């Protein structure tokens, strides 16, 4: 059996308040940096051979599109979830990137934790044996997705100059995501139970290759375009990620606004299939 769901409701008020508080803290930190920091006049050379570090806390507000599958004795429901406004569905999130560099060699890590649990959902149809489609009367369904994505890679600078820089890297990405489902129909629907719950955990490891860097738009390098792209294979059929935007350099570090897309194309039988996260990011990079 196949059950198609669509997420289309707001999260509880306390979850919204928690997320809004996180947003306010992030924006306040950025604005304080803007008020008390002067533009960079003579930026330090990150390729001078000294050991250097960066830390980038950021806020990513993606839409989520994908299919969640659950193995049940009498069928495997498919849950299609789409969150148009992540602030209405997000319970908790933590996102940060770190980098360590010495000359042309560097290593970086990116960590994302998301909790999209207890989102209201609606069952649109249930497909039974023989492809027969039935329309249930859904009186209470909730779906959820929580877990983390962790990227770790080593990179080498192929080119750096006054106008641009280019790094190539190789590494891995670990995604561990738990999908949950609670459904309730007004009456029985063939062999599909009237009420029930299910959960599945997916662990995805992928090797990655990619490139990243900056394109400077002004003579002193205050304005720049950050870019990033990776592609990988492993326990998923494939995965790829892209990021591009605009940034400005200050005395304390960099402020950047970008658009980011992450996609997983999964093998059949996985709890998560064709998962995509897309949306704007706001981050502040601090140099040490």
């Amino acid at each position: 059996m196949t059950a198609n769901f669509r997420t289309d409701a707001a999260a509880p008020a306390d979850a919204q308040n928690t997320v809004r508080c996180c947003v306010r803290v992030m924006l306040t930190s950025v604005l304080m940096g803007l008020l008390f920091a002067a533009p960079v006049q003579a930026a330090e050379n990150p390729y001078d051979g000294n050991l250097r570090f960066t830390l980038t806390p950021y806020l990513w507000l993606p839409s989520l599109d994908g299919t969640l599958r659950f193995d049940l004795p009498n069928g495997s429901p498919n849950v299609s979830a789409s969150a148009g406004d992540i602030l209405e569905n997000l319970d908790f999130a933590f996102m940060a990137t770190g980098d360590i560099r010495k000359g042309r060699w560097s290593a970086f890590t990116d960590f994302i934790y998301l909790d999209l649990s207890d989102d209201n959902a609606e069952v649109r149809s249930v497909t039974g044996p023989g492809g027969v489609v039935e329309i249930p009367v859904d009186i209470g369904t909730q779906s959820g997705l929580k877990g983390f994505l962790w990227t770790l890679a080593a990179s080498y600078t192929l080119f750096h100059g006054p106008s641009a820089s280019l790094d190539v890297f190789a590494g891995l990405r670990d995604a561990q995501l738990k999908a949950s489902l609670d459904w309730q129909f007004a009456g029985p629907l063939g062999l599909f139970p009237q009420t029930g719950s299910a959960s599945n955990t997916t662990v995805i490891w992928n090797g990655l290759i990619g490139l990243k860097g900056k394109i400077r738009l002004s003579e002193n390098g205050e304005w720049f375009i950050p870019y990033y792209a990776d592609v990988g294979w492993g326990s998923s059929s494939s995965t790829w990620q892209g990021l591009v935007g605009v940034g400005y350099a200050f005395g304390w570090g960099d402020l950047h606004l970008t658009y980011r897309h992450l996609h997983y194309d999964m093998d059949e039988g996985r709890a998560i299939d064709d998962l995509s996260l897309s949306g704007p990011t706001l981050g502040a990079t601090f140099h040490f």
Side-chain angles (χ1 to χ4, degrees):
M1 294 185 181
T2 300
N4 295 320
F5 297 77
R6 179 181 177 182
T7 300
D8 190 22
D14 56 346
Q16 296 184 38
N17 291 335
T18 300
V19 175
R20 291 192 179 104
C21 180
C22 294
V23 173
R24 286 196 294 268
V25 170
M26 179 68 181
L27 294 178
T28 299
S29 300
V30 171
L31 290 175
M32 290 296 288
L34 292 175
L35 289 174
F36 293 102
V40 174
Q41 300 298 326
E44 294 183 346
N45 179 12
Y47 307 100
D48 59 8
N50 294 320
L51 195 62
R52 299 188 179 278
F53 304 88
T54 66
L55 177 63
T56 306
Y58 64 90
L59 180 66
W60 186 19
L61 302 178
S63 62
L64 184 151
D65 293 291
T67 301
L68 312 180
R69 292 176 175 167
F70 302 87
D71 294 326
L72 301 174
N74 52 0
S76 299
N78 290 348
V79 182
S80 297
S82 177
D85 185 353
I86 201 67
L87 289 179
E88 293 184 352
N89 297 302
L90 185 64
D91 290 342
F92 180 78
F94 174 81
M95 308 169 187
T97 297
D99 179 275
I100 180 172
R101 171 176 292 277
K102 187 174 178 62
R104 290 179 176 266
W105 290 96
S106 66
F108 68 91
T109 186
D110 180 72
F111 185 83
I112 301 171
Y113 178 83
L114 291 173
D115 186 350
L116 301 172
S117 63
D118 300 328
D119 295 336
N120 293 331
E122 182 180 356
V123 180
R124 296 303 179 97
S125 65
V126 175
T127 304
V132 178
V133 178
E134 299 182 82
I135 306 300
V137 179
D138 187 351
I139 60 175
T141 297
Q142 291 186 327
S143 64
L145 180 67
K146 66 173 64 177
F148 68 85
L149 296 96
W150 174 53
T151 301
L152 179 65
S155 66
Y156 181 77
T157 302
L158 290 181
F159 170 81
H160 67 88
S163 60
S165 65
L166 171 64
D167 290 11
V168 293
F169 63 84
L172 57 88
R173 181 158 54 237
D174 174 24
Q176 300 192 22
L177 302 170
K178 180 179 180 181
S180 60
L181 174 67
D182 294 278
W183 72 88
Q184 184 176 4
F185 300 155
L189 194 66
L191 298 177
F192 200 82
Q194 181 177 351
T195 62
S197 63
S199 65
N200 275 330
T201 299
T202 298
V203 178
I204 312 166
W205 283 90
N206 292 102
L208 301 174
I209 56 173
L211 54 87
K212 62 185 181 75
K214 294 180 180 179
I215 300 174
R216 294 175 179 85
L217 301 177
S218 58
E219 183 177 353
N220 294 327
E222 295 99 335
W223 289 101
F224 62 90
I225 297 176
Y227 64 90
Y228 174 101
D230 71 39
V231 61
W233 301 268
S235 56
S236 67
S237 296
S238 64
T239 181
W240 67 272
Q241 182 174 207
L243 177 150
V244 68
V246 63
Y248 192 85
F250 292 88
W252 52 268
D254 306 330
L255 177 65
H256 38 86
L257 178 65
T258 62
Y259 188 87
R260 181 175 184 176
H261 179 87
L262 172 63
H263 178 76
Y264 278 97
D265 184 11
M266 300 299 298
D267 298 323
E268 293 184 3
R270 290 275 189 166
I272 299 174
D273 181 28
D274 295 334
L275 178 67
S276 293
L277 296 167
S278 303
T281 69
L282 176 63
T285 299
F286 300 91
H287 300 271
F288 304 95

